[in-house]
Structure formats: C-alpha cells, structure tokens
Amino acid sequence: MDITEVPVSQDNKGKKKKNKKGKKKSVSQEGNGESGGVDTKEEKMEKSEPAFPPTFSVSEIKNKQRRHLMFMKLKQEKRKQKMQIKKKKKKEREALGDKAPPKEVPKTIENQRVYDETTVDPEDEEIAFDEGTDEFSAYFNGLTNPKVLITTSDRPRGRTVRFCEQLATVIPNAHVYYRRGLALKRIIPQCIARNFTYLIVINEDRKVPNGLVLCHLPDGPTAHFKISSVRLRKEMKRRGKDPTEHSPEVILNNFTTRLGHSIGRQFAALFPQDPQFVGRQVATFHNQRDFVFFRFHRYIFKNEKKVGIQELGPRFTLKLRSLQKGTFDSKFGEYEWVLKRHEMDACRRKFQL
C-alpha cells in the first residue's frame, strides 16, 4: 500500500503561532484598559466584600460558619453607625452650648410602667394610721428589739447549712437551729415563748436552696418567697473579709405599692434601728420588676471625696409567692395576696411591689 506525504506549509504554522500571541496581547490590552494599571486597596476591598440585595437576610445563608461571620460583620457596621451618630450629636451639643435641646430619655420597662392605684403616698393620713397600728408598729416605736431564729427543712444538705450560717452573720442577734423533724406549728409557740420576733425557714430542692418563709412573731404576717441565684462567700470574686458584729445600715429601694410597702417594713424589722456606723456595713434590698435583690457591702473611704464599696456576701434574689395574715398556717390561713402568674404576669409593664 502506497503512503503519500502531505506537505504542510510553514505559512500555516506561523499563522497559528501569531494568532496565539495576538490573543495573549489582546487579553492583556483589555485588562489594562479595564483596570487602568494596578488595582488599588479600596478596589480590592470592594471586590472582596460581597454585595447583597436590599432585602437580604443573614438567615438565608445556609452555611453556619459563613452565616455567623456575616452576622458579626453586620453587627460591627451597626455599632460603627451608632458611634458616628453619637459623636455627631455630641459635637452639635458642644457647639450649641446652653441652647442645646435636652437629652432624650431612653424607654425602659420601668419608665413605661402601668400606674398602680395602690401606690403609696408618704403624706397620706390613711397610710400613716395603718403604719401606726400594723404588726410592725411596736418595732418602729422602739418597744421591741429584733431576735431572729433561722432554721431549715428536714435533713438539710451542706450548701443550705452554710447559707444559713452566713445569713446569721448578716442579721444581728440571729440564731441557727436544726429542724430535727419538728412541724412549724410546734416551733412557732416555742419561738414566741423565748421572745423571738422572726422565724426564717430555708427550704431546699436537690441540695440547692429554693424557698424562704419569713414569719413575723407573734402576730404575723408570713411571707413566702422563691429564692434563686444564691452565691456564697467562697463563690464570689473580689470579696472582702468576713463581716464584723456591727449592726448594718439598711437600704430599701423601689417598694412603692401598698403590698411592697408592707414587704419593705417586714425586711426593715429584721435589723436593729440604730446602725453602728463604725462597721461601715450596708444591707440592701433592691426591688426591680418584682424581684428583690439582696446585697451586703462594706464601704471604704479612699480619701475625702472618693468612696468605694466592697461586697461581703452572700447574695441572693427573692420573688414573692404569697403573703399570709397571722403566723404560718398552711390549712386554715387567710392569704392577703397570692401570685397568679397567668393573670398578673400577662403584662410586662405592670408590677405588684
């Protein structure tokens, strides 16, 4: 079989090579024409940052890590915008001086609180008469001195026992006794016979304190609280030394309604009326949104103008469950107030204390 050779012209080879070179040149020329030289940093940043449509939502990103990164970027951008607006307003206020408009008050749940008809007016004659005839009048008239008995539920665990011991160092003239299986109806007459003015019972669940019964003797009333966020002294950072035996000062904040007023008077009657200022100790009951926060501090004079505070502990939070007339009686007791969550907690801007 004869094989014939087909001659390839050199002109075609040259044309192919020239075409390739020409394509490369054209691509480079187009690139130079678009960019106009080397890309700047701003153009690189614009290319790297993704451009989103105006109705874009971060939740549409399916990749979890990518979604988290984009969320953090959007958060930083919003923060920068807020800071810029804040600085701009500050400059405007400095420029205007005295003619500057007053600052806007931020809206909070406390500011928007629903008005309560039972809000206490200290100058009201009816409230003054009630205070002169209620169960705490003997204490506020200086006829009795507080004496407190602290006990627990049956078979308390170590954490509850330590909490009772530390609570006894906060309240002057307080004594801790173990329950020993006795019913409260048998404990109360013994307390009255020994001139105790208060009975405090700390209940626990799963080795953690979860309830506090505060019974004023001999005529009541009895308050039942849910207790939470208990922090003992060893669990607190930067705490001071153990408290001394001096009687502390008492601060009661935001007990404005009739119910809150009676609860505040019940807390005040736990402590002696004449605080010893040498000890520089303060017990605070702060009511905020019907949660009573307890803190125990010592204040320190740094110089003639500056004063610092040092928390001593323990700390805890109380939530009122019920208020009963007279001493503790679970069967036949008459209740002044009982917490009904679905009715009372329906509106977030309405508070009971």
Side-chain angles (χ1 to χ4, degrees):
M1 186 176 178
D2 297 333
I3 298 169
T4 57
E5 293 181 2
V6 179
V8 179
S9 63
Q10 292 181 357
D11 296 334
N12 291 335
K13 288 182 180 179
K15 283 180 182 178
K16 286 182 181 179
K17 289 180 181 178
K18 284 178 183 178
N19 288 337
K20 287 181 181 178
K21 289 180 181 178
K23 284 180 183 178
K24 287 181 181 178
K25 285 181 181 178
S26 63
V27 169
S28 62
Q29 285 172 4
E30 286 173 7
N32 292 332
E34 286 176 5
S35 61
V38 182
D39 292 342
T40 59
K41 288 183 180 180
E42 293 178 358
E43 289 174 352
K44 284 181 180 178
M45 290 293 289
E46 287 175 2
K47 287 178 183 178
S48 62
E49 289 181 359
F52 298 112
T55 58
F56 173 76
S57 176
V58 179
S59 59
E60 294 175 8
I61 301 173
K62 294 183 179 180
N63 189 305
K64 187 178 179 181
Q65 293 179 349
R66 182 73 176 168
R67 185 169 63 243
H68 178 70
L69 287 170
M70 294 311 302
F71 174 74
M72 296 304 294
K73 281 183 182 179
L74 290 172
K75 202 173 181 182
Q76 286 178 359
E77 287 176 6
K78 286 182 181 179
R79 193 179 296 167
K80 284 180 183 178
Q81 290 175 2
K82 279 186 180 179
M83 290 298 293
Q84 287 174 0
I85 293 166
K86 196 174 181 181
K87 286 178 181 178
K88 189 179 178 182
K89 284 183 178 179
K90 190 177 180 181
K91 286 180 182 179
E92 288 176 358
R93 290 182 66 81
E94 289 175 356
L96 292 170
D98 296 334
K99 295 180 181 179
K103 287 184 178 180
E104 295 180 359
V105 179
K107 288 185 178 181
T108 60
I109 293 178
E110 286 81 6
N111 291 345
Q112 306 298 316
R113 178 177 180 173
V114 177
Y115 177 74
D116 196 336
E117 295 177 355
T118 62
T119 302
V120 172
D121 184 6
E123 297 179 358
D124 193 353
E125 295 179 358
E126 184 181 350
I127 291 165
F129 177 76
D130 289 344
E131 288 180 355
T133 56
D134 67 356
E135 298 90 344
F136 309 106
S137 58
Y139 163 78
F140 285 101
N141 292 330
L143 302 176
T144 59
N145 291 320
K147 186 179 179 183
V148 184
L149 172 68
I150 301 174
T151 187
T152 62
S153 56
D154 292 334
R155 298 176 184 176
R157 299 292 180 175
R159 184 176 174 80
T160 306
V161 173
R162 287 195 298 273
F163 176 62
C164 292
E165 290 172 354
Q166 292 184 14
L167 197 62
T169 61
V170 172
I171 303 171
N173 202 13
H175 307 271
V176 181
Y177 288 97
Y178 294 107
R179 182 79 169 266
R180 295 178 182 175
L182 290 172
L184 286 180
K185 287 186 178 180
R186 291 183 61 187
I187 294 173
I188 288 169
Q190 294 179 16
C191 292
I192 295 170
R194 297 179 185 181
N195 297 323
F196 281 99
T197 60
Y198 266 102
L199 172 64
I200 298 175
V201 184
I202 308 294
N203 297 318
E204 70 172 6
D205 182 32
R206 298 177 184 176
K207 304 180 183 180
V208 177
N210 73 329
L212 185 144
V213 177
L214 186 62
C215 182
H216 182 258
L217 303 175
D219 301 321
T222 303
H224 178 230
F225 297 93
K226 177 190 174 184
I227 187 168
S228 60
S229 304
V230 177
R231 296 282 296 276
L232 302 178
R233 290 196 180 110
K234 282 189 176 180
E235 299 167 0
M236 297 172 62
K237 295 179 180 179
R238 299 176 183 175
R239 65 179 178 88
K241 294 181 180 179
D242 291 343
T244 58
E245 295 181 356
H246 297 93
S247 299
E249 304 169 54
V250 182
I251 298 174
L252 303 169
N253 285 338
N254 297 337
F255 294 94
T256 55
T257 63
R258 292 292 291 268
L259 177 65
H261 197 61
S262 60
I263 293 296
R265 285 169 67 83
Q266 194 170 7
F267 285 138
L270 282 168
F271 298 87
Q273 281 193 341
D274 49 345
Q276 297 172 343
F277 298 103
V278 179
R280 297 176 285 113
Q281 296 177 157
V282 184
T284 306
F285 294 91
H286 176 73
N287 173 40
Q288 187 172 358
R289 303 180 189 180
D290 288 345
F291 287 92
V292 181
F293 300 91
F294 176 79
R295 299 290 184 271
F296 193 58
H297 291 94
R298 178 186 290 126
Y299 53 91
I300 302 165
F301 295 101
K302 294 181 179 180
N303 53 40
E304 294 179 355
K305 294 182 178 179
K306 289 186 179 181
V307 180
I309 58 173
Q310 189 178 42
E311 190 169 358
L312 305 178
R315 64 163 70 168
F316 53 88
T317 305
L318 299 173
K319 173 78 171 175
L320 183 65
R321 293 291 187 181
S322 63
L323 183 65
Q324 183 182 357
K325 286 185 178 180
T327 56
F328 180 82
D329 190 352
S330 57
K331 286 187 178 180
F332 306 106
E334 182 183 352
Y335 287 88
E336 291 184 33
W337 184 88
V338 179
L339 175 65
K340 298 176 182 178
R341 288 181 59 193
H342 297 291
E343 295 179 13
M344 297 178 179
D345 293 347
C347 180
R348 291 184 64 196
R349 296 185 293 111
K350 190 172 183 180
F351 306 122
Q352 308 300 323
L353 299 181

